[in-house]
């Protein structure tokens, strides 16, 4: 992501990596907050546009989430980013340019994900949560990721 590269050059790789990790968690938490009202159909997808600002302390703030973000472009960089988005979406929904099998219900191969990152795997998270509960019951401490403090 060009924005991440810019952040690395101006604030260092560690700060840029932390910033993008925080933005990823903002996205995950915002989606989890509304997952009960989102359409859940394996035969369709939605594209959301996130508006995030970054303050002087390199803290990201969620401004809004657009359910139907505009795909018109105003600059060359904007056009390249949106063309890449469309290309990446098509690679996921039509792997190898083929019509997708409606029975297919798996995460696409990494090669087909373009510039997308899988932020959370719900099945893996549920399995880890079940394992942690089992360890707690058996007397062992669970392995958990420290909870991020949002201020």
């Amino acid at each position: 992501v060009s924005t991440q590269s810019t952040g690395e050059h101006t604030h260092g790789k560690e700060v840029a990596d932390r910033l993008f990790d925080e933005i990823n968690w903002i996205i995950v938490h915002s989606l989890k907050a509304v997952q009960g009202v989102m359409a859940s159909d394996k035969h369709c997808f939605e594209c959301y546009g996130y508006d995030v600002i970054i303050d002087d302390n390199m803290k990201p703030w969620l401004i809004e989430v657009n359910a139907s973000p505009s795909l018109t472009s105003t600059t060359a960089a904007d056009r390249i980013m949106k063309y890449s988005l469309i290309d990446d979406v098509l690679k996921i929904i039509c792997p190898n340019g083929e019509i997708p099998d409606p029975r297919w219900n798996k995460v696409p191969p990494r090669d087909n994900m373009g510039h997308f990152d899988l932020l959370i795997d719900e099945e893996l998270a549920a399995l880890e949560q079940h394992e942690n509960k089992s360890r707690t019951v058996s007397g062992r401490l669970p392995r958990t990721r420290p909870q991020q403090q949002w201020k």
Side-chain angles (χ1 to χ4, degrees):
V1 175
S2 62
T3 308
Q4 190 163 7
S5 300
T6 302
E8 287 177 15
H9 292 299
T10 58
H11 295 283
K13 182 169 178 23
E14 183 178 320
V15 172
D17 287 347
R18 186 177 68 241
L19 171 67
F20 276 82
D21 186 50
E22 289 177 11
I23 291 171
N24 288 342
W25 281 107
I26 286 172
I27 293 168
V28 168
H29 290 297
S30 70
L31 291 171
K32 284 182 160 285
V34 297
Q35 70 184 4
V37 296
M38 292 173 63
S40 179
D41 182 349
K42 67 180 181 180
H43 298 99
C44 66
F45 67 92
E46 291 187 68
C47 181
Y48 296 100
Y50 279 76
D51 292 344
V52 176
I53 61 169
I54 301 164
D55 68 18
D56 292 339
N57 297 318
M58 297 300 289
K59 179 176 174 60
W61 295 90
L62 178 62
I63 301 302
E64 67 177 346
V65 181
N66 299 301
S68 297
S70 170
L71 293 178
T72 60
S73 56
T74 55
T75 66
D78 192 37
R79 185 173 40 260
I80 291 168
M81 189 256 317
K82 289 176 180 174
Y83 282 178
S84 294
L85 168 72
I86 293 167
D87 186 55
D88 290 344
V89 167
L90 290 173
K91 285 178 185 172
I92 291 174
I93 61 173
C94 297
N96 303 320
E98 300 170 2
I99 296 174
D101 182 346
R103 296 167 296 188
W104 188 68
N105 192 23
K106 303 290 180 195
V107 174
R110 180 68 190 123
D111 293 346
N112 289 6
M113 293 193 56
H115 296 97
F116 288 112
D117 291 320
L118 179 62
L119 298 182
I120 187 165
D121 183 328
E122 295 277 74
E123 291 177 12
L124 180 60
L127 179 63
E128 287 176 353
Q129 185 177 17
H130 177 72
E131 288 175 357
N132 287 340
K133 284 181 182 176
S134 297
R135 285 189 186 95
T136 302
V137 171
S138 68
R140 289 187 231 138
L141 293 174
R143 295 176 303 163
T144 58
R145 182 173 184 217
Q147 293 295 316
Q148 181 106 15
Q149 295 293 324
W150 298 100
K151 298 179 182 179

